Amino acid sequence: MSTTDAAPPFLYRPPTEPWLVVLHEDDEILVLSKQSGLLSVAGKPAEHADCIESRAKAEYPQARIVHRLDRETSGVIVMAMNAKSHRHLGLQFERRKIGKKYIARVWGAVTQDRGVVDLPLTCDWPNRPKQMVDVESGRAALTEWEVLEREQGATRLSLSPRTGRSHQLRVHMLTIGHPIVGDSFYATGAAFTSADRLQLHAESLTLHHPSDGKLTTFTDPCPF
């Protein structure tokens, strides 16, 4: 990344309007819409205390975080409302029983209509928190993708990760030559500067409801 298109130094200014968007709530789960720019959980510095977990707990003290979305990623996130549901949901994530669908705008023209990226990932320690492909010692990571729309200079994709590795979608798209637009870690030049946020949104989450095991889908319309 050149000096002209490098990301500015990180200054945490999370969005405050709306403060908390509740998509669904019941005795077992709390489903929220996380905004781009808001941390899922608090960071170590005091100025990084504001996050969707703390906002949720202010209104729902019993709510417990189950999974995370990257700060720059928006979309559906679920929290557990009691210890039993927390275990139930945690096992679903661990055993890959959760269905996740993301919308992404990637740089360039994707020629195929659909495909699969099956490349293991590991932390790029000298450049953490960045991740990288490591076919020898990386952890298995698989992403299915499908073209939704071809735009001028970009392609809108539906992404279905079958694993939940850190930065998985961002690195997998970079690896096939199409970084996600607005990605401050992996995009360069116009691919980075042509959007004011990471163009990645967790559109839907499908899970077995802890109360009865019924398969339930929660959706949050893509904002870009």
Side-chain angles (χ1 to χ4, degrees), residues 39-60:
L39 289 167
S40 291
V41 299
K44 291 182 180 180
E47 60 270 25
H48 295 176
D50 185 17
C51 61
I52 198 165
E53 181 186 31
S54 64
R55 293 183 184 186
K57 280 183 169 292
E59 295 188 33
Y60 307 89

Side-chain angles (χ1 to χ4, degrees), residues 34-101:
K34 191 186 83 67
Q35 298 157 276
S36 176
L38 179 64
L39 289 167
S40 291
V41 299
K44 291 182 180 180
E47 60 270 25
H48 295 176
D50 185 17
C51 61
I52 198 165
E53 181 186 31
S54 64
R55 293 183 184 186
K57 280 183 169 292
E59 295 188 33
Y60 307 89
Q62 73 275 37
R64 304 179 180 203
I65 199 80
V66 178
H67 66 120
R68 306 179 186 188
L69 294 175
D70 289 347
R71 176 179 58 87
E72 303 95 331
T73 304
S74 56
V76 182
I77 190 166
V78 63
M79 297 181 71
M81 296 291 262
N82 54 64
K84 183 178 178 181
S85 292
H86 189 262
R87 289 192 298 271
H88 195 288
L89 292 169
L91 284 173
Q92 288 188 59
F93 276 99
E94 182 182 327
R95 296 172 180 174
R96 302 177 187 174
K97 301 295 185 183
I98 301 285
K100 295 173 282 187
K101 180 181 176 183

